[in-house]
Amino acid sequence: MPIDQVNGVKLYWELTGNEGPLLVLVHGSWGDHNNWNAVVGDLSKSFRVLTYDRRGHSKSERREEQGSLDEDASDLIALIEHVGESTAHIAGNSGGAAVALKTAAQHARVFETLVVHEPPLFDLLKGIPEATPYLQAVESRVGAVIRLLENKEMAQGAELFVETIAIGPGGWQQMPVQSQQNFIFNAPTFLDETKDPENLNIDLIKLSPFNKPTLLTQGTESPPFFKMVLDQLAKAIPAAQRKTIIGAGHVPHISHPKEYVDMIKSFCLK
């Protein structure tokens, strides 16, 4: 599949499936289009599935200047237009969910539906007393990862992120070697993302007019701060539906692919 100049940056993308509406899957931080491998095949029976490496990740171009998730949002819109469409069903996970939401706040027109799983928009929890201990824990864990990355200890930082934030103890050893290598390669982009002052935030006032069908999802095994973030998003999008994926954590499309595929199909193809 091609690497094309899109929105001023070279993006790697793949389009799987020949029939049905366009479904764009937006991967989270550290990963790439391969994060969706377990679900693309089944989803492509009902959709044309567009996956890609976000700027700075794997096969896509990494720029020298400071980046932002707003650039990722612009990339997403431009990529949809690049493949000849004006609208799409859009699903994002983790950092990719944050990208999808920032896109929704700015360019609602591009959406048919929106599905987001556990966006790390932790700044939404500031000022909420019951969230304070969780925020402190997140800040401590992310801070430890950042210190390793700033010291050029990319492998150690990637492993610590997986073990203490993304998956949990033992998660790094469970990952395929290629996934580990992708995480290490993409570590500088995660570090860049942490320097974006709006990386963990979204303007809920700008998001509130969004009126396309929206599904906010979480896993039963995920840390409670993700549910708290979704609670704040649900206040901004009161018509949004909620779903909890039993037994899943932060990456249900990897751990529970059948359940994830069924969820996407039932919600987006109503």
Side-chain angles (χ1 to χ4, degrees):
M1 283 294 188
I3 297 176
D4 289 338
Q5 193 84 7
V6 177
N7 194 37
V9 66
K10 294 178 181 177
L11 296 181
Y12 175 86
W13 59 276
E14 295 184 357
L15 188 59
T16 307
N18 299 315
E19 297 181 354
L22 183 66
L23 169 66
V24 187
L25 303 176
V26 190
H27 69 79
S29 301
W30 302 86
D32 60 22
H33 71 283
N34 289 302
N35 287 27
W36 302 103
N37 285 350
V39 298
V40 166
D42 282 342
L43 286 171
S44 68
K45 298 173 184 177
S46 302
F47 303 91
R48 289 174 296 123
V49 183
L50 177 61
T51 55
Y52 68 108
D53 293 349
R54 288 167 46 207
R55 63 167 63 205
H57 294 81
S58 297
K59 297 180 181 180
S60 288
E61 183 180 359
R62 180 177 295 162
R63 310 296 287 271
E64 293 296 328
E65 65 269 18
Q66 173 64 47
S68 72
L69 292 192
D70 284 336
E71 291 176 332
D72 281 279
S74 297
D75 292 347
L76 175 56
I77 294 169
L79 185 58
I80 291 170
E81 294 173 348
H82 184 72
V83 299
E85 298 290 343
S86 58
T87 63
H89 300 276
I90 299 175
N93 180 77
S94 189
V99 171
L101 285 163
K102 286 174 181 282
T103 308
Q106 301 171 34
H107 305 282
R109 60 174 175 75
V110 79
F111 288 83
E112 294 292 337
T113 62
L114 169 64
V115 181
V116 293
H117 186 81
E118 298 183 351
L121 296 169
F122 301 130
D123 282 1
L124 295 180
L125 305 183
K126 290 182 176 180
I128 301 176
E130 59 268 30
T132 298
Y134 297 111
L135 276 178
Q136 292 173 340
V138 170
E139 289 171 358
S140 175
R141 295 175 188 180
V142 172
V145 172
I146 290 174
R147 287 191 291 274
L148 287 172
L149 300 184
E150 289 178 335
N151 289 328
K152 309 300 182 184
E153 299 177 75
M154 301 304 178
Q156 295 89 332
E159 181 173 354
L160 187 64
F161 180 85
V162 170
E163 293 281 318
T164 63
I165 301 172
I167 298 178
W172 183 255
Q173 293 304 319
Q174 296 171 15
M175 291 174 62
V177 172
Q178 184 59 57
S179 295
Q180 293 178 349
Q181 292 174 348
N182 288 342
F183 263 58
I184 294 168
F185 181 81
N186 293 329
T189 298
F190 176 78
L191 180 61
D192 179 81
E193 289 175 350
T194 67
K195 309 301 183 184
D196 171 12
E198 292 300 311
N199 180 48
L200 303 179
N201 199 17
I202 190 169
D203 189 332
L204 294 180
I205 294 176
K206 290 184 178 179
L207 183 63
S208 60
F210 185 78
N211 61 0
K212 303 299 178 68
T214 301
L215 181 63
L216 309 175
T217 72
Q218 66 197 65
T220 57
E221 307 309 302
S222 294
F225 44 73
F226 285 117
K227 177 184 180 299
M228 294 180 175
V229 170
L230 293 180
D231 290 342
Q232 299 306 307
L233 292 170
K235 292 177 183 178
I237 314 175
Q241 297 182 38
R242 300 281 294 268
K243 182 175 179 60
T244 299
I245 305 174
I246 305 300
H250 196 50
V251 285
H253 52 294
I254 295 175
S255 65
H256 292 67
K258 183 182 184 304
E259 290 88 341
Y260 190 85
V261 168
D262 290 345
M263 178 185 74
I264 293 291
K265 288 182 177 180
S266 63
F267 182 75
C268 296
L269 298 178
K270 289 180 180 178

